[in-house]
């Protein structure tokens, strides 16, 4: 099974890490077509988000700086940077599954 990986912004640039290494407060980059890996707030960028997996909404919703996103949603149109507020077993999606 492939280990999920994410791109984290650091003071020195970008680094690709295993999703399990992400912690609250990390800045995570999600490119168009990517699944949101953590719960978090958008700090940079704008995109349309497919929330159907979590909410059943049939139409994409707009996200921009200040928006809150949940793990499992899909980034459709633009790059986003999120500040992680919940990771791993603490995400909304994981709590719904359990």
């Amino acid at each position: 099974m492939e280990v999920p990986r994410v791109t984290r912004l650091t003071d020195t640039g970008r680094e690709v890490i295993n999703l399990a290494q992400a912690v609250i407060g990390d800045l995570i980059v999600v490119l168009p077509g990517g699944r949101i890996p953590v719960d978090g707030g958008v700090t940079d960028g704008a995109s349309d988000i497919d929330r159907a997996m979590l909410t059943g909404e049939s139409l994409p919703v707009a996200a921009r700086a200040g928006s809150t996103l949940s793990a499992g949603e899909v980034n459709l149109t633009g790059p986003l940077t999120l500040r992680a507020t919940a990771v791993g077993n603490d995400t909304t999606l994981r709590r719904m599954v359990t």
Side-chain angles (χ1 to χ4, degrees), residues 25-49:
D26 278 351
L27 289 173
I28 305 293
V29 176
V30 185
L31 298 176
R35 192 165 296 279
I36 306 298
V38 299
D39 290 358
V42 177
T43 62
D44 190 45
S47 185
D48 292 325
I49 303 296

Side-chain angles (χ1 to χ4, degrees), residues 2-3 15 19 24 27 35 39 44 54 78 85 90 95:
E2 187 174 324
V3 176
E15 64 179 350
L19 177 55
I24 292 172
L27 289 173
R35 192 165 296 279
D39 290 358
D44 190 45
L54 291 175
T85 57
D90 295 328
R95 289 193 319 261

